[in-house]
Amino acid sequence: MNAAHDALERLREGNRRFVASIQSGQTLLGPTKPIELGQPQNPFAIILGCSDARVPAELVFDQGLGDLFVIRVAGNVVAPSQVGSVEFAASRFGTPLVVVLGHSGCGAIVATIEELQSPSGSASSRNIHSIVNRVRPSVEGLLATELRHDMHQLVHHAVRANVRASVNQLRHGSELLEQLIQQGKLTVVGAEYSLDTGAVEFLDLPGA
């Protein structure tokens, strides 16, 4: 668990640098350490994040080449290819930490809410609809609450519910990952990135 804790602290420190650079008006355009091309990758964390162009994990956490194994998909959903990618990095490199990184105002979340509130029956493609369907279980229950009257709060809670669903799928949807977790070699956590502040908040940390 110490390796995962250390990895988490590296991400926190990197994000603090990123936020500080935004606040100072000197936004980082790349990692603060020198870039070394051609070196083997040795990722200390796996990031399953959203494809949103405003949330590049390497910049958000101020890390360099080879530091992060990044998997990006709209809505940070978990499908077999994403599970396989996490399994690959965790088993091949011994990476101790997986972070499912959602973000405020996620378009995939908004699209799913809109579809559930006013079903059109005509998604732009079956592939896009497959993403909506994976987000749907995280949103449906919230629409039965008072949150349905407040779109901003509904999206906020849905983003976090979707992150937690993806975390749960990674923790319990793969025999390989479950085994690594049980052996104390892997930790899976959720996080939310704020498009307004640049800060990352980690969710439901083990032992918290």
Side-chain angles (χ1 to χ4, degrees):
M1 194 66 72
N2 287 337
H5 179 269
D6 291 345
L8 190 61
E9 284 306 306
R10 286 181 66 177
L11 293 180
R12 281 178 162 149
E13 290 171 6
N15 183 241
R16 282 194 286 268
R17 291 193 298 269
F18 177 72
V19 172
S21 71
I22 292 173
Q23 294 174 343
S24 68
Q26 299 178 342
T27 308
L28 297 171
L29 295 179
T32 53
K33 65 181 182 180
I35 293 176
E36 299 179 18
L37 299 176
Q39 61 180 347
Q41 63 172 320
N42 186 29
F44 69 86
I46 302 164
I47 310 295
L48 172 57
C50 182
S51 297
D52 191 296
R54 299 165 293 179
V55 195
E58 291 86 352
L59 293 184
V60 166
F61 292 114
D62 187 34
Q63 299 300 321
L65 299 182
D67 289 334
L68 301 177
F69 190 93
V70 181
I71 307 154
R72 298 182 70 179
V73 59
N76 46 269
V77 297
V78 174
S81 59
Q82 281 80 55
V83 176
S85 295
V86 172
E87 289 177 338
F88 172 79
S91 59
R92 176 65 65 92
F93 307 117
T95 307
L97 178 68
V98 181
V99 177
V100 177
L101 181 63
H103 66 91
S104 60
C106 179
I109 299 294
V110 173
T112 302
I113 291 172
E114 292 174 346
E115 174 65 21
L116 289 172
Q117 289 179 328
S118 303
S120 64
S122 58
S124 52
S125 83
R126 66 179 182 180
N127 298 310
I128 294 177
H129 198 61
S130 71
I131 294 174
V132 170
N133 281 339
R134 289 187 182 277
V135 175
R136 181 188 301 264
S138 301
V139 176
E140 282 181 320
L142 297 176
L143 286 173
T145 72
E146 291 302 309
L147 289 171
R148 67 183 182 278
H149 302 303
D150 185 336
M151 186 65 170
H152 177 75
Q153 284 299 313
L154 177 58
V155 172
H156 171 70
H157 285 274
V159 164
R160 294 188 168 211
N162 185 55
V163 166
R164 289 178 171 123
S166 292
V167 167
N168 188 61
Q169 284 180 274
L170 290 176
R171 286 176 178 170
H172 305 291
S174 158
E175 290 183 11
L176 174 57
L177 298 183
E178 275 196 71
Q179 185 177 50
L180 291 173
I181 291 169
Q182 289 170 359
Q183 293 171 348
K185 296 179 180 179
L186 185 69
T187 298
V188 184
V189 302
E192 181 184 8
Y193 172 78
S194 170
L195 293 176
D196 295 323
T197 67
V200 173
E201 179 181 354
F202 290 91
L203 311 173
D204 302 332
L205 298 177

